[in-house]
Amino acid sequence: MRNDKFLSPSASRTQEIGCEIGKSLRGGEIIFLSGILGAGKTVLVRGIAKSLGIRSKVPSPTFNIFRVYDCVLPKSKRKGKFYHFDCYRLKKYTELRNLGWEEILADSNAITVLEWPECISDRDVIKTPDKKIIAAGIKLENNKRVVNITVLKR
Ligand SMILES: Nc1ncnc2c1ncn2[C@@H]1O[C@H](COP(=O)(O)OP(=O)(O)OP(=O)(O)O)[C@@H](O)[C@H]1O
Ligand SMILES: [Mg+2]
């Protein structure tokens, strides 16, 4: 995965873009996914999940904060875990840590996506050694969505 920009006119196209992103993952990536309410973050996550072989429904984890799925890592075909967080109701990193964040970070076969990372005010304290960090953002332009991917750390 490199820096990239996609224009999406529809939810199904956004899901396909998610699939494209997902196919390039090896395990150990953390994706910070920002965008306003209804931007299409969860739609994009469904595409990522699909490319990781997840066949079950991927509901928005707004009330559970996160959901975890068994997945297949696309590059190696090894088994892994896919974590989908919605940080909308979180305020501090300690809340994320209490959900088992450090154990998730320690798993090199885990792929993690966080919606609403900006809600964690002290997110700068989140230490992610050895992790590939990807910042993804969805913006609305007219009726379309623009998906931006920036690889922050390899
Ligand atoms: N180009 C598009 N890409 C993604 N979603 C789109 C697009 N056009 C319309 N939509 C619609 O916008 C909505 C996006 O909802 P989604 O739950 O993915 O947003 P979200 O960013 O996760 O919101 P939240 O912040 O509440 O979690 C869906 O109803 C989807 O059908
Ligand atoms: Mg969402």
Side-chain angles (χ1 to χ4, degrees):
M1 173 102 293
R2 8 175 209 91
N3 294 355
D4 232 325
K5 183 177 176 175
F6 304 88
L7 188 65
S8 171
S10 66
S12 59
R13 178 64 192 133
T14 299
Q15 194 167 326
E16 280 173 19
I17 293 164
C19 276
E20 290 303 310
I21 296 168
K23 277 181 204 160
S24 72
L25 302 174
R26 297 176 178 278
E29 292 91 351
I30 312 250
I31 303 173
F32 291 94
L33 177 55
S34 55
I36 61 167
L37 276 172
K41 300 180 292 298
T42 301
V43 169
L44 190 87
V45 171
R46 287 187 184 122
I48 297 174
K50 201 173 165 191
S51 70
L52 303 181
I54 296 164
R55 292 206 187 88
S56 59
K57 277 200 176 8
V58 177
S60 181
T62 311
F63 295 100
N64 328 59
I65 314 294
F66 81 95
R67 282 176 179 267
V68 57
Y69 304 84
D70 291 321
C71 74
V72 178
L73 303 172
K75 291 282 187 191
S76 60
K77 308 291 178 215
R78 275 181 294 147
K79 286 185 180 172
K81 297 278 184 197
F82 178 62
Y83 290 89
H84 178 198
F85 279 81
D86 186 333
C87 303
Y88 193 71
R89 301 195 314 152
L90 300 185
K91 291 188 176 66
K92 292 277 176 193
Y93 170 62
T94 48
E95 296 170 77
L96 194 60
R97 202 175 58 197
N98 290 342
L99 292 168
W101 178 255
E102 286 167 350
E103 288 78 5
I104 295 168
L105 277 191
D107 180 358
S108 60
N109 291 329
I111 292 170
T112 306
V113 179
L114 292 103
E115 294 187 40
W116 288 107
E118 54 273 57
C119 287
I120 302 169
S121 59
D122 56 349
R123 63 189 174 283
D124 51 307
V125 305
I126 301 178
K127 296 277 183 288
T128 52
D130 310 324
K131 294 282 144 175
K132 183 170 176 181
I133 310 295
I134 298 165
I138 307 180
K139 287 206 171 101
L140 274 68
E141 259 178 36
N142 303 318
N143 268 335
K144 299 192 167 119
R145 267 67 166 177
V146 179
V147 181
N148 265 297
I149 309 291
T150 311
V151 178
L152 299 176
K153 200 172 96 182
R154 289 178 184 281

